[in-house]
Amino acid sequence: MSRSPSADAPRIFTGIARSYDRVGALLSFGQDPRWRHALVVAVDADPDDVVLDVATGTGLVAVELARRYRCRVVGLDRSADMLTEASRRNGLIAGLVNARAERLPFPDATFDHVTFTYLLRYVDDPAATVRELSRVLKPGGRLAALEFGVPSSPLAFALWRLYTRIVMPLVGLLFSRKWREVNGFLGPSIERFYRAHPQRAVERYWRESGLADVRSRHMSLGGGIVMAATKRTEPPGGDARLGAAFYALRPGGWRDYWTLLHPPYTAWHLSYVLLGAAIAPAPDPRIVLGAVVAFALAVGVAAHSFDELQGRPLGTRIPSRVLVALGALGLAGAAALGIAAVAMLGPLFGLFVAAGVALVLLYAFEAPLVHSDVGFALAWGAFPVLTAAYATGAPLVPAVAVASAAAMLSLAQRILSTRVRAVRRRSLWVDGEVRYRDGSREALDAEGLIAAPEGALRILWLAVVALAAGLLLSRYI
C-alpha cells in the first residue's frame, strides 16, 4: 500500500539535520543557496513586519530574512531535529514552533508575509495547505515559496533524471546510509508530485486561495521554482488588484468622478473633433471650442454616466440618482450647444445634433446598433470628424477619408480594449502557460495577458491627441 506524502517527512528528515545545510549546498552545486536567496528577495519585507517561515528546517531562509530586512521571523516545522538546529542561529529567529503547515496554530491574518521551502510534496492536500498558509497572511502581504522542479527541456530532463536517480544516491553513500536513502527518494518524489500536481495546477491553487499576481520563476534549467504572490485586499469578483481600467483610481469620493470620465479615452474621441476641424482651410476657433465642449458633455459625461448605471462596470460608488442627473445634464448641455450652432450654421446642422443625441441615448440603453464593433467605430470615430468638418466648412472628400481613418482607429481601440476589460472586470484568475520550441515555459497571469493590448492603448491615445492638436495648430500658426 502506498504511503501518504505526509508520512514521508518524518522518515526523511530525521537524522540529517546536522549535515543538512552543507550537504544540500554540495549536492545542488551551490544552487540551493541561490534559490533560497531568490525566495528571500521576492518577499520585500519592512523592518516592522513579522514573517512566518513554514518548513523552516534548519532556519536558512528565516535567518536570511531577518538579516536582509531586519524583520521578526517565526520559524515553523514539524521536525524536532530540524528545529533544534534552527535554535542555534544566534537568536536571529524570533520564535520557533513545532507544528504542521496543514493546521497552523495562528489566527487569521496574523503575519505580514509567509514563506515556505520544499513543503508541498510532504502534505496530503497541497491546495488545502496553500489555503491554510493564505489564511494566516494579512491582505496585501506576500506569500513566497521555493520548490524543486522538473526541467522541461528533454536534454535537461535526461541529465536531471540521471543525476537524481543514479548520481545522487551514490554520492549520498559518501556521507551516510541515511543520505543515500534521502537522495534516492528525492527524484521519484519530485516526479510523482508534478504528475499529480502540474505547475499550472499549483499556480491555480494559489489563485483559488485568494492570492493575486502569482509569479513563477524557473531557475537552473527548471530544477528549482521560486513562486511569489500577494494576498488580495478584496474578495475576487473581477481582479481587484488590477482595477477596472488603467486610468481608474481607488473607488470613493472625487476619485470616482475622474474614473467616470474615462480621461484617456474621452481625450482620444475629442481628438476626432480636432481632426475634423483641421481639414477646414480656416476653422473658426469659436466653433471648434463649442464642438469640443459639446462632445465632452455628450461622450465624456452623459454617455459614460449612463453606461455606469448598467452594472457598474467601473465599480464607482456614485449614487444612481447622481449618475442619472449627470447624464441628463450632460446630454442637455450638449444639445443646447448644438441648437445654438444651428442658428449660425443653418438648419441642416440640426441633423447632426439630432443624430448625436440619438447616439447617446442608444448607447445608454445598450442598443446593439451602437454597442457593436462597427457601430462603436462609426458613432465615436467617424461621427465626431464629420460633425466638426461640416461645422467648420471642410471639403467633403477629405472629411470622408479622415472619418474613415477615425472609424478604423476606434475599431482598433475596441478590439484592443475588449480583452482588457474582460480580464480587469470579470476574471477571477488567469491560469495558463506558453511553451516555446526551445523547451522554456512562461506562465501567463492576468497582467501578462493584458500587458500588450493595454500598452498599445496607452500609447495610441497620446499619439492621436498629439496628432490632432498638431494638425489643428498648423491652421493657426
Side-chain angles (χ1 to χ4, degrees):
M1 187 167 64
S2 63
R3 189 173 14 233
S4 68
S6 61
D8 287 327
R11 177 175 59 88
I12 291 299
F13 291 108
T14 300
I16 63 170
R18 286 186 175 275
S19 58
Y20 182 81
D21 295 355
R22 67 176 184 274
V23 175
L26 178 65
L27 292 174
S28 67
F29 298 101
Q31 296 307 293
D32 176 72
R34 176 172 168 259
W35 299 342
R36 291 176 189 267
H37 177 73
L39 164 63
V40 170
V41 170
V43 175
D44 194 22
D46 291 325
D48 295 333
D49 289 343
V50 180
V51 183
L52 174 66
D53 183 40
V54 179
T56 192
T58 61
L60 288 171
V61 168
V63 166
E64 188 169 350
L65 283 166
R67 285 174 174 164
R68 182 180 181 89
Y69 299 114
R70 300 290 187 263
C71 59
R72 292 182 62 238
V73 184
V74 176
L76 181 145
D77 204 288
R78 62 181 296 193
S79 169
D81 286 358
M82 290 289 186
L83 290 175
T84 298
E85 288 301 310
S87 67
R88 299 189 173 101
R89 296 288 183 177
N90 298 323
L92 288 172
I93 305 175
L96 293 170
V97 179
N98 191 326
R100 298 179 62 146
E102 303 96 311
R103 294 188 297 275
L104 297 172
F106 307 109
D108 295 353
T110 299
F111 296 96
D112 297 285
H113 307 285
V114 176
T115 61
F116 67 88
T117 308
Y118 307 136
L119 168 67
L120 296 184
R121 287 182 298 116
Y122 300 105
V123 299
D124 296 328
D125 190 340
T129 301
V130 174
R131 288 195 298 271
E132 177 69 355
L133 296 168
S134 179
R135 179 186 66 79
V136 302
L137 178 63
K138 292 180 180 179
R142 298 282 283 172
L143 178 66
L146 166 62
E147 295 283 0
F148 287 117
V150 177
S152 57
S153 164
L155 177 59
F157 175 73
L159 293 173
W160 174 87
R161 205 162 203 238
L162 174 67
Y163 183 69
T164 58
R165 295 300 180 95
I166 298 176
V167 177
M168 282 184 61
L170 292 176
V171 173
L173 280 174
L174 299 176
F175 299 98
S176 67
R177 295 179 64 86
K178 181 64 178 182
W179 269 111
R180 183 190 181 286
E181 178 189 354
V182 171
N183 290 352
F185 164 83
L186 186 64
S189 169
I190 297 170
E191 287 194 57
R192 280 196 304 272
F193 177 79
Y194 284 107
R195 278 197 300 269
H197 309 278
Q199 180 61 21
R200 62 183 301 174
V202 174
E203 292 169 1
R204 187 177 73 249
Y205 302 158
W206 284 48
R207 294 186 180 96
E208 291 173 347
S209 300
L211 300 166
D213 192 23
V214 179
R215 297 180 180 273
S216 299
R217 180 183 176 188
H218 295 253
M219 303 181 69
S220 307
L221 302 177
I225 302 175
V226 174
M227 295 182 63
T230 303
K231 187 172 181 178
R232 291 188 182 97
T233 56
E234 299 179 15
D239 195 329
R241 175 185 52 84
L242 290 177
F246 69 85
Y247 51 82
L249 302 181
R250 179 170 54 85
W254 64 268
R255 296 180 298 273
D256 283 344
Y257 294 91
W258 167 272
T259 301
L260 179 70
L261 290 175
H262 298 61
Y265 291 154
T266 297
W268 186 335
H269 292 292
L270 293 182
S271 297
Y272 297 147
V273 177
L274 303 185
L275 284 174
I279 306 168
D284 186 331
R286 297 171 301 169
I287 294 176
V288 175
L289 179 61
V292 169
V293 173
F295 273 95
L297 290 171
V299 178
V301 178
H304 291 151
S305 295
F306 292 142
D307 188 51
E308 186 66 0
L309 284 168
Q310 307 293 333
R312 300 281 175 162
L314 292 173
T316 68
R317 300 171 184 171
I318 302 172
S320 296
R321 64 180 182 278
V322 175
L323 290 172
V324 172
L326 286 173
L329 290 172
L331 186 57
L337 288 170
I339 293 170
V342 170
M344 298 174 58
L345 303 173
L348 189 58
F349 188 72
L351 296 177
F352 286 94
V353 177
V357 172
L359 287 173
V360 173
L361 292 174
L362 289 170
Y363 188 80
F365 290 102
E366 298 190 339
L369 177 67
V370 179
H371 275 269
S372 67
D373 290 349
V374 174
F376 180 87
L378 294 176
W380 308 132
F383 181 71
V385 171
L386 293 174
T387 302
Y390 180 85
T392 55
L396 178 61
V397 174
V400 171
V402 174
S404 300
M408 287 185 282
L409 279 170
S410 289
L411 183 59
Q413 174 196 343
R414 175 90 169 185
I415 293 170
L416 289 169
S417 64
T418 296
R419 172 64 66 188
V420 173
R421 288 197 309 273
V423 172
R424 280 185 173 273
R425 301 176 187 178
R426 302 203 309 273
S427 68
L428 292 176
W429 62 82
V430 175
D431 180 24
E433 183 181 71
V434 180
R435 297 189 182 189
Y436 295 99
R437 292 179 181 176
D438 62 359
S440 61
R441 301 184 183 188
E442 179 184 0
L444 280 182
D445 59 9
E447 286 185 327
L449 187 61
I450 68 175
E454 190 163 84
L457 289 167
R458 290 173 184 260
I459 295 170
L460 280 172
W461 84 264
L462 290 169
V464 174
V465 169
L467 175 64
L471 289 175
L472 183 62
L473 285 172
S474 71
R475 294 300 187 189
Y476 301 123
I477 300 175

